[in-house]
């Protein structure tokens, strides 16, 4: 089985593929209605989110620690990507790493993008930080939430 970095690379590739699929789906033809395009886009994101969840499920000995992870306020970087600071509190008695799925949403709670970020080697009783970055340009009022977090 590949190590965690390989899994995260795979997850990022899958999420990027889903984002590109959504982009392709939203280029309308005469046969597409707005609701059919939205349905296809939602399906693509659901698939990407499911794959991210599957990747998190594969972590051996991982413990659900969603409540130990906090997010800052999302911002937009110079490339138009949404970013958010992820802070993971390691309340265990040994150095641990965290895998965190961050969902980016619009003001209505609709999923815009999802990504997985690793907060590596956080010392016991300390906090570690990483930055989650969307896989594509996002506009409007973007919000972020911790969908899942696993400590391993």
């Amino acid at each position: 089985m590949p190590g965690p970095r390989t899994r995260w690379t795979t997850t990022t590739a899958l999420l990027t593929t889903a984002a590109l699929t959504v982009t392709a789906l939203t280029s309308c033809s005469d046969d597409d209605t707005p609701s059919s395009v939205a349905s296809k886009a939602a399906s693509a994101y659901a698939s990407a989110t499911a794959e991210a969840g599957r990747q998190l499920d594969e972590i051996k000995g991982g413990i659900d620690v969603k409540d130990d992870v906090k997010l800052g306020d999302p911002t937009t970087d110079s490339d138009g990507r949404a970013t958010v600071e992820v802070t993971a509190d390691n309340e265990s008695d040994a150095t641990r790493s965290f895998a965190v799925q961050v969902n980016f949403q619009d003001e209505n709670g609709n999923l815009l993008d999802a990504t997985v970020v690793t907060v590596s080697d956080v010392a016991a009783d300390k906090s570690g930080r990483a930055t989650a970055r969307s896989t594509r340009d996002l506009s409007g009022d973007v919000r972020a939430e911790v969908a899942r977090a696993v400590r391993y």
Side-chain angles (χ1 to χ4, degrees):
M1 170 162 278
R5 291 200 193 281
T6 302
R7 283 195 295 255
W8 306 135
T9 301
T10 301
T11 300
T12 301
L14 290 168
L15 292 173
T16 300
T17 300
L20 292 173
T21 300
V22 169
T23 300
L25 291 173
T26 57
S27 58
C28 294
S29 70
D30 290 337
D31 297 335
D32 290 332
T33 65
S35 62
S36 71
V37 170
S39 177
K40 290 174 187 175
S43 178
Y45 279 117
S47 177
T49 303
E51 178 59 22
R54 188 185 66 72
Q55 295 289 333
L56 291 175
D57 289 339
E58 286 184 1
I59 296 174
K60 300 235 185 268
I63 297 171
D64 179 11
V65 290
K66 184 176 175 180
D67 292 339
D68 293 344
V69 176
K70 305 293 182 246
L71 301 179
D73 293 326
T75 60
T76 303
D77 67 14
S78 61
D79 295 330
R81 306 286 176 98
T83 63
V84 65
E85 184 176 69
V86 177
T87 303
D89 297 327
N90 182 7
E91 297 180 358
S92 74
D93 58 0
T95 298
R96 302 284 185 216
S97 293
F98 295 75
V100 181
Q101 178 183 339
V102 176
N103 287 350
F104 292 100
Q105 302 171 330
D106 67 14
E107 63 275 2
N108 296 318
N110 297 311
L111 183 65
L112 300 173
D113 201 2
T115 190
V116 175
V117 65
T118 302
V119 184
S120 299
D121 302 322
V122 181
D125 294 321
K126 300 289 182 188
S127 295
R129 290 182 175 72
T131 300
R133 185 174 189 252
S134 66
T135 61
R136 62 189 189 93
D137 293 356
L138 302 178
S139 61
D141 184 15
V142 177
R143 297 169 186 190
E145 74 166 359
V146 176
R148 288 189 59 196
V150 176
R151 183 182 71 211
Y152 58 98

